[in-house]
Amino acid sequence: MNLTIMYSITVLTLGLCGKVIMGSCDVKLEGSLLKDLVETLIKKDSDKGCTLFNRKKIPAFSAALNKSLSLSTNEIIKFDIVFTNNLNGYNPNTGTFTAPIAGVYQFSSMVMKDRGKPLVVSLWHNNTRVTSVSMKVSDYTPGTLIVILDLQKGDQISIKSYYNYTVYSNIMNYNTFSGYLIAQ
């Protein structure tokens, strides 16, 4: 909904709540009027060609890797088990998310390193490394990346190895990659 409609709803709500608190109006009538106004404003807004997001129209994906991989330097990790892929932005064959619409997105990835091996992975936005995680602990330790990015339609996000190493996976969900639109 646009700002004018949201402002109208807020002003009406505050006005109605004030009258209800002071006892000057029938609570059922006020609730009914507010409900009718909201439904009318939503219908009016959608009549203009605008539609409110529903969960299937929000770009979101979640994928996991269920096998160990030996990776080369700067190789994209292909998380092959896809749980959610609204608007088909994530491609498990390439390991890359392509923004289907412009907006602010949150991405996270957790990758577990092999025993005794260092772990360094990076999140890439198009051809730019945005952030990295490095772990040098000797046991099976996960590294986690979380970042919020303002993307244009068509921008690409991927997780790449920083140098040769093995991603360890004994149980699915130790290695995950996910993202979703948080604001448009």
Side-chain angles (χ1 to χ4, degrees):
M1 289 191 287
N2 66 33
L3 190 57
T4 304
I5 293 171
M6 290 302 295
Y7 178 75
S8 299
I9 291 172
T10 303
V11 169
L12 181 62
T13 302
L14 292 173
L16 293 176
C17 288
K19 289 182 181 181
V20 170
I21 291 169
M22 295 174 62
S24 62
C25 295
D26 180 358
V27 175
K28 290 181 183 177
L29 176 62
E30 295 296 339
S32 175
L33 289 173
L34 181 59
K35 180 182 173 193
D36 290 346
L37 176 64
V38 170
E39 287 175 357
T40 301
L41 290 172
I42 289 172
K43 180 168 180 3
K44 180 180 183 285
D45 197 40
S46 51
D47 286 346
K48 292 187 294 187
C50 299
T51 56
L52 300 175
F53 270 140
N54 70 34
R55 68 181 191 185
K56 295 295 183 185
K57 293 183 180 181
I58 297 173
F61 75 97
S62 177
L65 180 68
N66 68 349
K67 59 187 173 192
S68 295
L69 291 178
S70 292
L71 299 167
S72 302
T73 302
N74 288 324
E75 183 175 346
I76 294 174
I77 301 173
K78 298 171 187 161
F79 298 85
D80 56 342
I81 306 299
V82 178
F83 301 108
T84 301
N85 199 6
N86 293 356
L87 301 185
N88 297 313
Y90 179 72
N91 183 338
N93 297 317
T94 64
T96 301
F97 171 78
T98 303
I101 61 175
V104 178
Y105 290 79
Q106 177 173 321
F107 297 96
S108 64
S109 182
M110 182 175 71
V111 179
M112 178 175 278
K113 70 182 197 65
D114 199 359
R115 174 177 250 173
K117 309 276 180 151
L119 163 75
V120 182
V121 294
S122 303
L123 184 137
W124 287 73
H125 172 208
N126 295 328
N127 294 317
T128 304
R129 184 175 56 185
V130 175
T131 188
S132 299
V133 65
S134 173
M135 302 294 290
K136 294 191 179 186
V137 180
S138 62
D139 61 354
Y140 300 104
T141 304
T144 303
L145 301 167
I146 299 173
V147 66
I148 295 174
L149 297 170
D150 189 359
L151 302 182
Q152 298 302 312
K153 181 179 180 179
D155 281 359
Q156 296 187 329
I157 302 296
S158 58
I159 304 296
K160 293 183 182 181
S161 61
Y162 189 72
Y163 54 33
N164 298 341
Y165 76 98
T166 300
V167 172
Y168 177 77
S169 186
N170 186 357
I171 301 172
M172 188 168 49
N173 294 340
Y174 277 166
N175 300 292
T176 61
F177 181 30
S178 62
Y180 58 95
L181 178 73
I182 58 176
Q184 191 174 21

